[in-house]
Amino acid sequence: MLIAGSAALSGCISVNAPDKPIVIELNINIKQEVIYRLAADAANTIKENSDIF
Amino acid sequence: MGMTMQTSKFRRRAPGLAALFLSAAALTEPALAEDYNSAKAAGLIGERMDGYVGVVGAGTPELRRIADDTNIKRKAVYAEQAQSQHATVEEYAFTSGCLLIAKTSPGMKYQAPDGSWKTRTTAPPLRDSRCP
């Protein structure tokens, strides 16, 4: 009976929240290949709008 | 450079100077840029991972105004460029964030991948693994 009890307990799932917030949640779908593709244009944009960058 | 002007006093003394103060509006744009640059250099405003600036710590209403103004302008530029590059605004902004964090000078603040503000040193900044 004790073994049956512990077998039932081993199926428990922990639902504790992580200590740190998941910061990159909003950016999670941005792929590296897209970033690399945009990098040159973004660098140029930064250079041309130096007052806000 | 202080920008408080006692226009009423000057108008009484020298009416000819009124024209100078009419151009005050033109002077406020460069002044805003100066505050933005000095706030960044002092680490009061930092570069966020998502391509926008954030006020570091409690901040002040003035710093929040500078940050909001900067972010509104950045978003407009991101949206325009993203459209021409066939990407989402978020993708373009995040890409810019990668580059802007790389461009920070020692003493500036930037957001590390774990979300915390870090002070830039001469060492390379901590960036998302997707950054170029």
Side-chain angles (χ1 to χ4, degrees), chain A residues 14 25 31 40 44 50-51:
Chain A
S14 169
E25 212 171 67
K31 293 186 168 57
N44 197 49
S50 55
D51 54 328

Side-chain angles (χ1 to χ4, degrees), chain B residues 32-44:
Chain B
L32 199 66
E34 263 178 54
D35 289 339
Y36 162 73
N37 284 319
S38 54
K40 271 193 71 176
L44 300 169

Side-chain angles (χ1 to χ4, degrees), chain B:
Chain B
M1 184 175 173
M3 289 304 290
T4 50
M5 291 193 242
Q6 293 157 18
T7 51
S8 58
K9 185 155 71 165
F10 280 106
R11 279 202 183 123
R12 264 184 273 129
R13 282 190 193 174
L17 286 176
L20 264 181
F21 291 108
L22 284 176
S23 65
L27 291 174
T28 56
E29 267 304 316
L32 199 66
E34 263 178 54
D35 289 339
Y36 162 73
N37 284 319
S38 54
K40 271 193 71 176
L44 300 169
I45 280 173
E47 285 294 343
R48 295 191 335 219
M49 262 194 298
D50 64 0
Y52 299 95
V53 292
V55 177
V56 180
T60 62
E62 177 64 15
L63 286 169
R64 276 190 287 281
R65 189 187 58 77
I66 291 170
D68 289 346
D69 179 77
T70 302
N71 287 334
I72 286 168
K73 289 170 178 168
R74 283 191 181 188
K75 184 153 197 174
V77 168
Y78 291 156
E80 186 183 353
Q81 292 305 118
Q83 188 173 41
S84 74
Q85 294 296 313
H86 306 291
T88 67
V89 181
E90 290 73 28
E91 285 167 340
Y92 200 93
F94 187 84
T95 303
S96 302
C98 284
L99 302 177
L100 290 163
I101 289 170
K103 272 164 61 75
T104 51
S105 319
M108 288 184 179
K109 293 278 192 196
Y110 69 95
Q111 188 183 32
D114 70 354
S116 64
W117 288 115
K118 297 271 188 266
T119 306
R120 180 72 203 276
T121 64
T122 50
L126 301 170
R127 296 191 308 164
D128 190 283
S129 59
R130 293 166 288 177
C131 287

